[in-house]
């Protein structure tokens, strides 16, 4: 539940919070020794978050557990369409799932640590 509260808090942040989160996630990944593909996944992992969605839609989606899965799937599709590697696509698609690989664990850690 604490993770969902933190996710919700991310949504109510000031304008540009999503960009700052992506940049901070990438910075943390670099600090952890991640290679460039993993850093790219860190930058793009929340790219499908709709910018013009009303706040209550975002909060409800996170609290109900719907939004993260749908957004991750859409983000992965967008990355694939833009020519990202299959590794980056997979990391984006799974970034809200239980981590199964070291790459996924690093991305999840950086995502959590980059919360505002």
């Amino acid at each position: 539940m604490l993770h969902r509260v933190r996710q919700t808090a991310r949504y109510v942040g000031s304008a540009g919070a999503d960009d700052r989160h992506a940049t901070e996630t990438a910075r943390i990944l670099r600090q952890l020794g991640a290679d460039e593909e993993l850093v790219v996944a860190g930058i793009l992992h929340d790219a499908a978050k709709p910018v013009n969605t009303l706040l209550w839609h975002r909060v409800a989606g996170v609290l109900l557990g719907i939004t993260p899965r749908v957004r991750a799937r859409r983000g992965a599709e967008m990355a694939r369409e833009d020519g990202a590697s299959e590794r980056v696509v997979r990391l984006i698609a799974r970034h809200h799932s239980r981590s199964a690989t070291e790459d996924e664990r690093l991305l999840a850690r950086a995502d959590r640590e980059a919360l505002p």
Side-chain angles (χ1 to χ4, degrees):
M1 184 63 174
L2 180 59
H3 178 67
R4 286 191 181 173
V5 170
R6 286 182 179 158
Q7 275 186 313
T8 303
R10 276 188 15 212
Y11 285 131
V12 296
S14 61
D18 295 335
D19 290 338
R20 285 190 300 276
H21 175 69
T23 301
E24 183 65 7
T25 301
R27 186 194 68 74
I28 292 167
L29 285 165
R30 283 188 189 98
Q31 184 179 12
L32 294 171
D35 62 32
E36 287 305 307
E37 273 192 322
L38 185 49
V39 172
V40 168
I43 291 170
L44 299 177
H45 75 281
D46 281 342
K49 189 183 298 182
V51 293
N52 294 324
T53 304
L54 297 174
L55 177 60
W56 75 269
H57 289 134
R58 291 178 175 215
V59 171
V62 169
L63 292 176
L64 294 172
I66 299 166
T67 301
R69 289 187 304 266
V70 171
R71 188 178 63 237
R73 186 173 55 244
R74 179 62 189 136
E77 291 168 5
M78 290 170 56
R80 180 176 282 122
E81 290 167 5
D82 287 341
S85 71
E86 282 305 308
R87 179 180 174 214
V88 169
V89 170
R90 185 187 74 252
L91 286 164
I92 293 169
R94 292 194 39 79
H95 85 273
H96 283 292
S97 302
R98 183 177 298 262
S99 299
T101 67
E102 183 60 24
D103 284 350
E104 292 172 7
R105 281 187 279 284
L106 282 174
L107 180 55
R109 176 179 171 186
D111 188 23
R112 280 190 312 274
E113 290 182 14
L115 290 173

Short mmCIF file of all heavy atoms in Angstrom, two decimals, residues 45-105:
data_model
loop_
_atom_site.label_atom_id
_atom_site.label_comp_id
_atom_site.label_asym_id
_atom_site.label_seq_id
_atom_site.Cartn_x
_atom_site.Cartn_y
_atom_site.Cartn_z
N HIS A 45 10.56 4.69 -19.02
CA HIS A 45 9.66 3.75 -18.35
C HIS A 45 8.27 4.29 -18.05
O HIS A 45 7.32 3.54 -17.98
CB HIS A 45 10.31 3.18 -17.07
CG HIS A 45 10.35 4.13 -15.92
ND1 HIS A 45 11.27 5.14 -15.82
CD2 HIS A 45 9.57 4.19 -14.82
CE1 HIS A 45 11.06 5.80 -14.70
NE2 HIS A 45 10.04 5.24 -14.07
N ASP A 46 8.12 5.60 -17.90
CA ASP A 46 6.80 6.18 -17.64
C ASP A 46 6.33 7.08 -18.78
O ASP A 46 5.43 7.90 -18.59
CB ASP A 46 6.82 7.00 -16.34
CG ASP A 46 6.74 6.14 -15.10
OD1 ASP A 46 6.32 4.98 -15.20
OD2 ASP A 46 7.09 6.64 -14.02
N ALA A 47 6.90 6.92 -19.96
CA ALA A 47 6.60 7.83 -21.08
C ALA A 47 5.14 7.81 -21.51
O ALA A 47 4.66 8.78 -22.07
CB ALA A 47 7.50 7.51 -22.27
N ALA A 48 4.43 6.74 -21.23
CA ALA A 48 3.04 6.65 -21.68
C ALA A 48 2.06 7.27 -20.70
O ALA A 48 0.85 7.22 -20.91
CB ALA A 48 2.66 5.19 -21.92
N LYS A 49 2.56 7.87 -19.65
CA LYS A 49 1.67 8.51 -18.67
C LYS A 49 0.96 9.68 -19.36
O LYS A 49 1.60 10.58 -19.87
CB LYS A 49 2.48 9.01 -17.48
CG LYS A 49 1.61 9.49 -16.34
CD LYS A 49 2.46 10.05 -15.21
CE LYS A 49 3.35 8.99 -14.62
NZ LYS A 49 4.14 9.49 -13.49
N PRO A 50 -0.36 9.69 -19.39
CA PRO A 50 -1.08 10.77 -20.07
C PRO A 50 -0.90 12.09 -19.34
O PRO A 50 -1.08 12.18 -18.14
CB PRO A 50 -2.55 10.32 -20.05
CG PRO A 50 -2.62 9.24 -19.03
CD PRO A 50 -1.26 8.69 -18.82
N VAL A 51 -0.55 13.14 -20.09
CA VAL A 51 -0.27 14.43 -19.47
C VAL A 51 -1.52 15.24 -19.17
O VAL A 51 -1.51 16.09 -18.29
CB VAL A 51 0.70 15.26 -20.34
CG1 VAL A 51 2.06 14.62 -20.37
CG2 VAL A 51 0.16 15.46 -21.74
N ASN A 52 -2.59 15.03 -19.89
CA ASN A 52 -3.79 15.85 -19.70
C ASN A 52 -4.89 15.13 -18.93
O ASN A 52 -6.04 15.55 -18.95
CB ASN A 52 -4.33 16.32 -21.06
CG ASN A 52 -3.37 17.27 -21.73
OD1 ASN A 52 -2.72 18.07 -21.07
ND2 ASN A 52 -3.26 17.17 -23.04
N THR A 53 -4.55 14.07 -18.24
CA THR A 53 -5.53 13.33 -17.47
C THR A 53 -5.85 14.11 -16.20
O THR A 53 -4.97 14.67 -15.56
CB THR A 53 -4.98 11.94 -17.10
OG1 THR A 53 -4.61 11.28 -18.29
CG2 THR A 53 -6.01 11.12 -16.36
N LEU A 54 -7.12 14.12 -15.83
CA LEU A 54 -7.52 14.79 -14.60
C LEU A 54 -6.92 14.08 -13.40
O LEU A 54 -6.73 12.87 -13.39
CB LEU A 54 -9.05 14.80 -14.47
CG LEU A 54 -9.80 15.57 -15.55
CD1 LEU A 54 -11.30 15.38 -15.38
CD2 LEU A 54 -9.43 17.05 -15.50
N LEU A 55 -6.62 14.84 -12.37
CA LEU A 55 -5.96 14.31 -11.19
C LEU A 55 -6.74 13.15 -10.58
O LEU A 55 -6.16 12.12 -10.23
CB LEU A 55 -5.77 15.42 -10.15
CG LEU A 55 -5.17 14.99 -8.83
CD1 LEU A 55 -3.78 14.40 -9.05
CD2 LEU A 55 -5.12 16.16 -7.87
N TRP A 56 -8.04 13.26 -10.47
CA TRP A 56 -8.81 12.18 -9.82
C TRP A 56 -8.74 10.89 -10.63
O TRP A 56 -8.76 9.80 -10.07
CB TRP A 56 -10.24 12.60 -9.50
CG TRP A 56 -11.18 12.66 -10.66
CD1 TRP A 56 -11.45 13.72 -11.46
CD2 TRP A 56 -11.97 11.57 -11.15
NE1 TRP A 56 -12.37 13.36 -12.42
CE2 TRP A 56 -12.71 12.05 -12.25
CE3 TRP A 56 -12.14 10.24 -10.76
CZ2 TRP A 56 -13.60 11.25 -12.96
CZ3 TRP A 56 -13.02 9.45 -11.47
CH2 TRP A 56 -13.74 9.96 -12.55
N HIS A 57 -8.63 11.00 -11.97
CA HIS A 57 -8.46 9.80 -12.80
C HIS A 57 -7.14 9.11 -12.46
O HIS A 57 -7.08 7.89 -12.33
CB HIS A 57 -8.45 10.15 -14.29
CG HIS A 57 -9.78 10.57 -14.82
ND1 HIS A 57 -9.92 11.66 -15.61
CD2 HIS A 57 -11.01 10.05 -14.66
CE1 HIS A 57 -11.19 11.82 -15.93
NE2 HIS A 57 -11.88 10.85 -15.37
N ARG A 58 -6.09 9.91 -12.34
CA ARG A 58 -4.77 9.36 -12.03
C ARG A 58 -4.76 8.69 -10.65
O ARG A 58 -4.26 7.58 -10.51
CB ARG A 58 -3.70 10.45 -12.09
CG ARG A 58 -3.45 10.96 -13.48
CD ARG A 58 -2.41 12.06 -13.45
NE ARG A 58 -2.10 12.47 -14.81
CZ ARG A 58 -0.90 12.84 -15.19
NH1 ARG A 58 0.10 12.86 -14.34
NH2 ARG A 58 -0.68 13.20 -16.43
N VAL A 59 -5.29 9.38 -9.67
CA VAL A 59 -5.30 8.84 -8.31
C VAL A 59 -6.11 7.55 -8.26
O VAL A 59 -5.67 6.53 -7.72
CB VAL A 59 -5.83 9.88 -7.31
CG1 VAL A 59 -6.04 9.26 -5.93
CG2 VAL A 59 -4.87 11.07 -7.22
N ALA A 60 -7.30 7.56 -8.85
CA ALA A 60 -8.15 6.37 -8.85
C ALA A 60 -7.47 5.21 -9.57
O ALA A 60 -7.50 4.07 -9.11
CB ALA A 60 -9.50 6.68 -9.49
N GLY A 61 -6.84 5.49 -10.70
CA GLY A 61 -6.16 4.44 -11.46
C GLY A 61 -5.05 3.79 -10.68
O GLY A 61 -4.88 2.57 -10.70
N VAL A 62 -4.26 4.60 -9.97
CA VAL A 62 -3.16 4.05 -9.18
C VAL A 62 -3.70 3.25 -8.00
O VAL A 62 -3.26 2.14 -7.72
CB VAL A 62 -2.21 5.17 -8.70
CG1 VAL A 62 -1.24 4.63 -7.65
CG2 VAL A 62 -1.45 5.74 -9.88
N LEU A 63 -4.66 3.82 -7.28
CA LEU A 63 -5.19 3.14 -6.10
C LEU A 63 -5.89 1.83 -6.45
O LEU A 63 -5.84 0.88 -5.68
CB LEU A 63 -6.12 4.06 -5.31
CG LEU A 63 -5.42 5.25 -4.65
CD1 LEU A 63 -6.44 6.16 -3.98
CD2 LEU A 63 -4.36 4.78 -3.66
N LEU A 64 -6.51 1.78 -7.61
CA LEU A 64 -7.18 0.55 -8.05
C LEU A 64 -6.20 -0.43 -8.70
O LEU A 64 -6.55 -1.57 -9.00
CB LEU A 64 -8.32 0.87 -9.02
CG LEU A 64 -9.49 1.63 -8.41
CD1 LEU A 64 -10.47 2.06 -9.51
CD2 LEU A 64 -10.19 0.80 -7.35
N GLY A 65 -4.98 0.02 -8.94
CA GLY A 65 -3.96 -0.86 -9.52
C GLY A 65 -4.10 -1.08 -11.01
O GLY A 65 -3.50 -1.99 -11.57
N ILE A 66 -4.87 -0.25 -11.68
CA ILE A 66 -5.10 -0.42 -13.11
C ILE A 66 -4.07 0.35 -13.93
O ILE A 66 -3.44 -0.19 -14.83
CB ILE A 66 -6.52 0.06 -13.49
CG1 ILE A 66 -7.56 -0.76 -12.75
CG2 ILE A 66 -6.74 0.00 -14.99
CD1 ILE A 66 -8.95 -0.16 -12.80
N THR A 67 -3.87 1.58 -13.60
CA THR A 67 -3.05 2.49 -14.39
C THR A 67 -1.62 1.99 -14.62
O THR A 67 -1.15 2.00 -15.75
CB THR A 67 -3.04 3.90 -13.78
OG1 THR A 67 -4.39 4.36 -13.74
CG2 THR A 67 -2.19 4.85 -14.58
N PRO A 68 -0.90 1.58 -13.60
CA PRO A 68 0.50 1.18 -13.85
C PRO A 68 0.64 0.08 -14.89
O PRO A 68 1.52 0.15 -15.75
CB PRO A 68 0.99 0.73 -12.48
CG PRO A 68 0.15 1.49 -11.51
CD PRO A 68 -1.21 1.57 -12.18
N ARG A 69 -0.20 -0.94 -14.85
CA ARG A 69 -0.09 -2.04 -15.81
C ARG A 69 -0.43 -1.59 -17.22
O ARG A 69 0.27 -1.94 -18.17
CB ARG A 69 -0.99 -3.20 -15.38
CG ARG A 69 -0.52 -3.93 -14.15
CD ARG A 69 -1.37 -5.15 -13.90
NE ARG A 69 -2.79 -4.86 -13.79
CZ ARG A 69 -3.42 -4.63 -12.63
NH1 ARG A 69 -2.76 -4.66 -11.51
NH2 ARG A 69 -4.71 -4.38 -12.61
N VAL A 70 -1.49 -0.83 -17.37
CA VAL A 70 -1.91 -0.36 -18.68
C VAL A 70 -0.85 0.58 -19.26
O VAL A 70 -0.46 0.47 -20.42
CB VAL A 70 -3.29 0.34 -18.60
CG1 VAL A 70 -3.62 1.03 -19.92
CG2 VAL A 70 -4.36 -0.66 -18.21
N ARG A 71 -0.36 1.49 -18.43
CA ARG A 71 0.64 2.46 -18.89
C ARG A 71 1.94 1.76 -19.28
O ARG A 71 2.55 2.11 -20.28
CB ARG A 71 0.89 3.50 -17.81
CG ARG A 71 1.76 4.62 -18.28
CD ARG A 71 1.95 5.67 -17.21
NE ARG A 71 2.63 5.12 -16.07
CZ ARG A 71 2.15 5.13 -14.83
NH1 ARG A 71 0.98 5.65 -14.57
NH2 ARG A 71 2.83 4.60 -13.84
N ALA A 72 2.35 0.76 -18.51
CA ALA A 72 3.59 0.03 -18.83
C ALA A 72 3.45 -0.68 -20.17
O ALA A 72 4.37 -0.65 -21.00
CB ALA A 72 3.93 -0.95 -17.73
N ARG A 73 2.30 -1.30 -20.40
CA ARG A 73 2.08 -2.00 -21.67
C ARG A 73 2.10 -1.00 -22.83
O ARG A 73 2.75 -1.22 -23.85
CB ARG A 73 0.76 -2.77 -21.63
CG ARG A 73 0.54 -3.63 -22.86
CD ARG A 73 -0.69 -4.52 -22.75
NE ARG A 73 -1.90 -3.78 -22.45
CZ ARG A 73 -2.62 -3.92 -21.32
NH1 ARG A 73 -2.26 -4.76 -20.40
NH2 ARG A 73 -3.71 -3.20 -21.12
N ARG A 74 1.41 0.14 -22.66
CA ARG A 74 1.38 1.15 -23.71
C ARG A 74 2.76 1.76 -23.91
O ARG A 74 3.20 2.02 -25.04
CB ARG A 74 0.35 2.23 -23.38
CG ARG A 74 0.26 3.35 -24.40
CD ARG A 74 -0.18 2.82 -25.76
NE ARG A 74 -0.05 3.86 -26.75
CZ ARG A 74 0.46 3.71 -27.94
NH1 ARG A 74 0.87 2.52 -28.32
NH2 ARG A 74 0.56 4.70 -28.78
N GLY A 75 3.49 2.00 -22.83
CA GLY A 75 4.83 2.55 -22.94
C GLY A 75 5.76 1.63 -23.70
O GLY A 75 6.58 2.08 -24.51
N ALA A 76 5.62 0.33 -23.47
CA ALA A 76 6.43 -0.65 -24.18
C ALA A 76 6.10 -0.64 -25.67
O ALA A 76 6.99 -0.68 -26.52
CB ALA A 76 6.22 -2.05 -23.59
N GLU A 77 4.81 -0.54 -26.00
CA GLU A 77 4.40 -0.48 -27.40
C GLU A 77 4.96 0.77 -28.08
O GLU A 77 5.44 0.71 -29.22
CB GLU A 77 2.87 -0.48 -27.50
CG GLU A 77 2.23 -1.80 -27.10
CD GLU A 77 0.72 -1.68 -26.94
OE1 GLU A 77 0.14 -0.61 -27.24
OE2 GLU A 77 0.11 -2.68 -26.50
N MET A 78 4.91 1.90 -27.37
CA MET A 78 5.44 3.15 -27.92
C MET A 78 6.95 3.04 -28.16
O MET A 78 7.46 3.47 -29.20
CB MET A 78 5.14 4.32 -26.97
CG MET A 78 3.67 4.70 -26.92
SD MET A 78 3.30 5.86 -25.58
CE MET A 78 4.40 7.21 -25.93
N ALA A 79 7.66 2.46 -27.21
CA ALA A 79 9.10 2.30 -27.35
C ALA A 79 9.43 1.40 -28.54
O ALA A 79 10.36 1.69 -29.30
CB ALA A 79 9.70 1.73 -26.05
N ARG A 80 8.68 0.32 -28.69
CA ARG A 80 8.91 -0.60 -29.83
C ARG A 80 8.68 0.15 -31.15
O ARG A 80 9.48 0.05 -32.08
CB ARG A 80 7.99 -1.81 -29.74
CG ARG A 80 8.18 -2.78 -30.92
CD ARG A 80 7.34 -4.03 -30.80
NE ARG A 80 7.98 -4.93 -29.84
CZ ARG A 80 7.39 -5.38 -28.73
NH1 ARG A 80 6.16 -5.03 -28.45
NH2 ARG A 80 8.04 -6.18 -27.91
N GLU A 81 7.58 0.91 -31.23
CA GLU A 81 7.27 1.66 -32.45
C GLU A 81 8.36 2.68 -32.77
O GLU A 81 8.61 2.98 -33.94
CB GLU A 81 5.92 2.37 -32.29
CG GLU A 81 4.75 1.42 -32.29
CD GLU A 81 3.46 2.11 -31.83
OE1 GLU A 81 3.45 3.34 -31.61
OE2 GLU A 81 2.45 1.39 -31.68
N ASP A 82 9.02 3.20 -31.73
CA ASP A 82 10.08 4.19 -31.92
C ASP A 82 11.45 3.56 -32.15
O ASP A 82 12.45 4.26 -32.23
CB ASP A 82 10.15 5.15 -30.73
CG ASP A 82 8.97 6.11 -30.71
OD1 ASP A 82 8.32 6.29 -31.76
OD2 ASP A 82 8.71 6.69 -29.65
N GLY A 83 11.50 2.21 -32.22
CA GLY A 83 12.75 1.54 -32.55
C GLY A 83 13.62 1.13 -31.38
O GLY A 83 14.78 0.80 -31.58
N ALA A 84 13.08 1.12 -30.17
CA ALA A 84 13.86 0.69 -29.01
C ALA A 84 14.17 -0.80 -29.13
O ALA A 84 13.44 -1.56 -29.76
CB ALA A 84 13.10 0.96 -27.72
N SER A 85 15.25 -1.22 -28.49
CA SER A 85 15.63 -2.63 -28.51
C SER A 85 14.58 -3.46 -27.75
O SER A 85 13.83 -2.94 -26.92
CB SER A 85 16.99 -2.82 -27.85
OG SER A 85 16.90 -2.62 -26.45
N GLU A 86 14.56 -4.75 -28.04
CA GLU A 86 13.62 -5.63 -27.34
C GLU A 86 13.89 -5.65 -25.83
O GLU A 86 12.97 -5.79 -25.04
CB GLU A 86 13.66 -7.04 -27.92
CG GLU A 86 12.91 -7.17 -29.22
CD GLU A 86 11.45 -6.70 -29.11
OE1 GLU A 86 10.72 -7.15 -28.20
OE2 GLU A 86 11.04 -5.86 -29.94
N ARG A 87 15.15 -5.51 -25.45
CA ARG A 87 15.48 -5.46 -24.02
C ARG A 87 14.82 -4.24 -23.36
O ARG A 87 14.22 -4.36 -22.29
CB ARG A 87 17.00 -5.40 -23.86
CG ARG A 87 17.45 -5.32 -22.42
CD ARG A 87 18.96 -5.26 -22.35
NE ARG A 87 19.44 -5.04 -21.02
CZ ARG A 87 20.53 -4.35 -20.74
NH1 ARG A 87 21.27 -3.86 -21.71
NH2 ARG A 87 20.91 -4.19 -19.49
N VAL A 88 14.93 -3.08 -23.97
CA VAL A 88 14.31 -1.87 -23.43
C VAL A 88 12.80 -2.03 -23.38
O VAL A 88 12.16 -1.70 -22.38
CB VAL A 88 14.73 -0.63 -24.25
CG1 VAL A 88 13.91 0.59 -23.87
CG2 VAL A 88 16.22 -0.35 -24.08
N VAL A 89 12.22 -2.55 -24.45
CA VAL A 89 10.76 -2.77 -24.51
C VAL A 89 10.32 -3.68 -23.36
O VAL A 89 9.35 -3.40 -22.66
CB VAL A 89 10.35 -3.34 -25.88
CG1 VAL A 89 8.91 -3.80 -25.89
CG2 VAL A 89 10.61 -2.31 -26.99
N ARG A 90 11.06 -4.78 -23.16
CA ARG A 90 10.71 -5.73 -22.10
C ARG A 90 10.81 -5.08 -20.71
O ARG A 90 9.94 -5.25 -19.87
CB ARG A 90 11.62 -6.95 -22.17
CG ARG A 90 11.26 -8.04 -21.17
CD ARG A 90 12.26 -9.18 -21.12
NE ARG A 90 13.47 -8.76 -20.43
CZ ARG A 90 14.65 -8.52 -21.00
NH1 ARG A 90 14.82 -8.69 -22.29
NH2 ARG A 90 15.68 -8.12 -20.29
N LEU A 91 11.86 -4.31 -20.50
CA LEU A 91 12.03 -3.65 -19.20
C LEU A 91 10.90 -2.66 -18.92
O LEU A 91 10.38 -2.60 -17.80
CB LEU A 91 13.39 -2.94 -19.14
CG LEU A 91 14.58 -3.87 -18.98
CD1 LEU A 91 15.87 -3.14 -19.33
CD2 LEU A 91 14.62 -4.43 -17.58
N ILE A 92 10.51 -1.90 -19.93
CA ILE A 92 9.40 -0.96 -19.75
C ILE A 92 8.11 -1.71 -19.46
O ILE A 92 7.36 -1.36 -18.55
CB ILE A 92 9.25 -0.06 -20.99
CG1 ILE A 92 10.47 0.86 -21.11
CG2 ILE A 92 7.96 0.75 -20.92
CD1 ILE A 92 10.55 1.60 -22.43
N ALA A 93 7.86 -2.77 -20.22
CA ALA A 93 6.62 -3.55 -20.05
C ALA A 93 6.52 -4.17 -18.67
O ALA A 93 5.44 -4.30 -18.11
CB ALA A 93 6.53 -4.63 -21.12
N ARG A 94 7.66 -4.55 -18.09
CA ARG A 94 7.66 -5.27 -16.82
C ARG A 94 7.98 -4.40 -15.61
O ARG A 94 8.07 -4.90 -14.50
CB ARG A 94 8.66 -6.42 -16.88
CG ARG A 94 8.23 -7.52 -17.86
CD ARG A 94 9.02 -8.79 -17.69
NE ARG A 94 9.32 -9.15 -16.32
CZ ARG A 94 8.46 -9.75 -15.46
NH1 ARG A 94 7.25 -10.06 -15.86
NH2 ARG A 94 8.84 -10.04 -14.23
N HIS A 95 8.13 -3.09 -15.77
CA HIS A 95 8.64 -2.31 -14.65
C HIS A 95 7.68 -2.18 -13.47
O HIS A 95 8.09 -1.75 -12.40
CB HIS A 95 9.19 -0.95 -15.11
CG HIS A 95 8.19 0.14 -15.25
ND1 HIS A 95 7.47 0.35 -16.39
CD2 HIS A 95 7.83 1.11 -14.38
CE1 HIS A 95 6.70 1.40 -16.22
NE2 HIS A 95 6.90 1.88 -15.02
N HIS A 96 6.44 -2.61 -13.63
CA HIS A 96 5.52 -2.65 -12.49
C HIS A 96 5.23 -4.09 -12.06
O HIS A 96 4.36 -4.32 -11.23
CB HIS A 96 4.20 -1.94 -12.83
CG HIS A 96 4.33 -0.45 -12.78
ND1 HIS A 96 4.54 0.24 -11.61
CD2 HIS A 96 4.31 0.47 -13.76
CE1 HIS A 96 4.62 1.52 -11.87
NE2 HIS A 96 4.49 1.69 -13.17
N SER A 97 5.95 -5.04 -12.61
CA SER A 97 5.79 -6.45 -12.25
C SER A 97 6.87 -6.83 -11.24
O SER A 97 7.84 -6.10 -11.04
CB SER A 97 5.95 -7.33 -13.50
OG SER A 97 5.01 -6.97 -14.48
N ARG A 98 6.72 -8.00 -10.65
CA ARG A 98 7.75 -8.51 -9.75
C ARG A 98 9.03 -8.72 -10.55
O ARG A 98 9.03 -9.36 -11.59
CB ARG A 98 7.30 -9.83 -9.13
CG ARG A 98 8.28 -10.39 -8.12
CD ARG A 98 7.75 -11.64 -7.49
NE ARG A 98 6.52 -11.40 -6.76
CZ ARG A 98 6.47 -11.21 -5.44
NH1 ARG A 98 7.56 -11.27 -4.73
NH2 ARG A 98 5.31 -11.00 -4.85
N SER A 99 10.11 -8.17 -10.04
CA SER A 99 11.40 -8.24 -10.75
C SER A 99 11.89 -9.68 -10.84
O SER A 99 11.96 -10.38 -9.84
CB SER A 99 12.44 -7.40 -10.02
OG SER A 99 12.04 -6.05 -9.99
N ALA A 100 12.25 -10.10 -12.06
CA ALA A 100 12.73 -11.46 -12.29
C ALA A 100 14.20 -11.49 -12.69
O ALA A 100 14.83 -12.54 -12.61
CB ALA A 100 11.88 -12.14 -13.36
N THR A 101 14.74 -10.35 -13.12
CA THR A 101 16.14 -10.31 -13.57
C THR A 101 16.86 -9.18 -12.84
O THR A 101 16.22 -8.29 -12.24
CB THR A 101 16.23 -10.05 -15.09
OG1 THR A 101 15.76 -8.72 -15.35
CG2 THR A 101 15.43 -11.07 -15.89
N GLU A 102 18.16 -9.19 -12.92
CA GLU A 102 18.95 -8.12 -12.30
C GLU A 102 18.62 -6.77 -12.93
O GLU A 102 18.53 -5.76 -12.23
CB GLU A 102 20.45 -8.41 -12.41
CG GLU A 102 21.31 -7.39 -11.72
CD GLU A 102 21.05 -7.27 -10.22
OE1 GLU A 102 20.55 -8.22 -9.59
OE2 GLU A 102 21.35 -6.20 -9.65
N ASP A 103 18.44 -6.73 -14.25
CA ASP A 103 18.04 -5.48 -14.91
C ASP A 103 16.73 -4.95 -14.34
O ASP A 103 16.60 -3.75 -14.07
CB ASP A 103 17.85 -5.70 -16.42
CG ASP A 103 19.14 -5.82 -17.19
OD1 ASP A 103 20.22 -5.55 -16.61
OD2 ASP A 103 19.07 -6.18 -18.38
N GLU A 104 15.76 -5.82 -14.18
CA GLU A 104 14.46 -5.42 -13.64
C GLU A 104 14.58 -4.93 -12.21
O GLU A 104 13.94 -3.97 -11.80
CB GLU A 104 13.45 -6.56 -13.74
CG GLU A 104 13.08 -6.89 -15.17
CD GLU A 104 12.23 -8.14 -15.29
OE1 GLU A 104 11.81 -8.71 -14.26
OE2 GLU A 104 12.00 -8.57 -16.44
N ARG A 105 15.43 -5.58 -11.42
CA ARG A 105 15.65 -5.15 -10.03
C ARG A 105 16.29 -3.76 -9.98
O ARG A 105 15.89 -2.91 -9.19
CB ARG A 105 16.50 -6.16 -9.28
CG ARG A 105 15.73 -7.38 -8.82
CD ARG A 105 16.54 -8.29 -7.93
NE ARG A 105 17.44 -9.18 -8.67
CZ ARG A 105 17.05 -10.26 -9.33
NH1 ARG A 105 15.78 -10.61 -9.35
NH2 ARG A 105 17.93 -11.01 -9.97
#
